[in-house]
Amino acid sequence: MILVKVGVLALQGDVREHAAVLEASGAQAVAVRRPSELAGVDGLVIPGGESTTIDKLTRIFELDVPLKERIAEGMPVYGSCAGMIMLADEIADPAKDLAGNPQQTLGGLDITVRRNAFGRQRESFETDLRFRGLEFSAPEAGAEAPAVHAVFIRAPWVERVGSSVQVLAQVEPSEASHTQTLHGAARIVAVRSRHLLATSFHPEVTGERRIHELFIRMIRGEA
């Protein structure tokens, strides 16, 4: 089997955790901080962290244009939490700098996200999710894949999906730790559109490898 080289955008966030899961899942993980490093990878993970900081640093390190170009060319990208925000075409509540300019994204996913939608740090929670696309991990052919244990830390959710976007997982009101904020509606927390994958939770912190394995399969053209 061909070894795929997966970059982890190493400007800010939980870079080492993603790299460790990628390596454990059979990929070669490399840190990406400059355009020359981006040019050598088969796919890219944008980790969780502060979306506003990642946005600013991609421009400071002159990675924003190369990233947008490679996304447009079809490079597979997986964004978790802040990474989901960076891949969204639209932010419902963008942060603004001192001059009043809204934060920017790389785009590519026809979705609208809301930052910190589930609440602040003290309202973080864990739950089990049904996650589409993980059939390869089912105990036997035709069986349902085991649930994904998901950790939500200052997590966004998806408020709108375009026609090209597939919803992979949702959180029901009863599954969140502070259900009064959900107003009885399920919230979208994982999506895919062709070569782009995004989750609002952090699989890299729970030992859950299947999201990264799905992403590696996407890079290989197997999913």
Side-chain angles (χ1 to χ4, degrees):
M1 184 176 294
I2 298 175
L3 180 68
V4 296
K5 183 184 291 187
V6 183
V8 181
L9 189 63
L11 302 178
Q12 192 261 346
D14 49 351
V15 176
R16 288 181 294 180
E17 292 84 351
H18 277 287
V21 178
L22 288 166
E23 292 279 351
S25 302
Q28 178 186 357
V30 297
V32 171
R33 297 185 183 88
R34 51 184 62 89
S36 60
E37 294 165 340
L38 176 64
V41 301
D42 302 307
L44 182 75
V45 173
I46 304 177
E50 295 286 345
S51 62
T52 52
T53 301
I54 295 173
D55 163 36
K56 292 175 183 176
L57 290 176
T58 57
R59 287 180 272 137
I60 290 172
F61 282 79
E62 298 183 339
L63 272 166
D64 55 330
V65 173
L67 281 166
K68 291 176 182 178
E69 289 176 347
R70 290 219 57 191
I71 290 172
E73 291 167 358
M75 177 182 67
V77 182
Y78 165 45
S80 70
C81 199
M84 169 185 270
I85 296 171
M86 291 298 297
L87 288 176
D89 282 348
E90 181 182 26
I91 304 175
D93 57 338
K96 295 183 179 180
D97 62 20
L98 295 177
N101 300 309
Q103 71 183 97
Q104 301 176 29
T105 71
L106 300 171
L109 276 174
D110 185 12
I111 61 174
T112 301
V113 297
R114 183 170 294 279
R115 301 178 310 118
N116 302 322
F118 284 104
R120 308 301 296 182
Q121 192 83 17
R122 66 181 181 180
E123 295 167 312
S124 300
F125 67 98
E126 303 179 24
T127 190
D128 290 333
L129 301 175
R130 294 181 61 184
F131 197 105
R132 298 176 62 185
L134 301 183
E135 291 79 12
F136 63 85
S137 68
E140 58 185 32
E144 187 172 298
V148 168
H149 188 69
V151 174
F152 294 84
I153 305 170
R154 297 178 61 192
W157 66 43
V158 178
E159 296 198 340
R160 179 195 62 83
V161 296
S163 59
S164 65
V165 179
Q166 178 186 24
V167 175
L168 301 181
Q170 299 183 75
V171 168
E172 297 293 337
S174 60
E175 296 170 345
S177 61
H178 50 294
T179 57
Q180 69 273 14
T181 65
L182 298 189
H183 307 295
R187 293 298 192 259
I188 299 169
V189 295
V191 294
R192 177 183 177 181
S193 180
R194 299 180 297 276
H195 59 292
L196 302 178
L197 175 69
T199 64
S200 64
F201 56 91
H202 294 266
E204 73 283 358
V205 304
T206 63
E208 171 61 70
R209 287 171 32 181
R210 290 174 295 162
I211 310 301
H212 292 76
E213 290 171 356
L214 170 62
F215 182 55
I216 292 169
R217 285 170 173 260
M218 290 170 54
I219 295 172
R220 290 181 172 144
E222 299 170 356

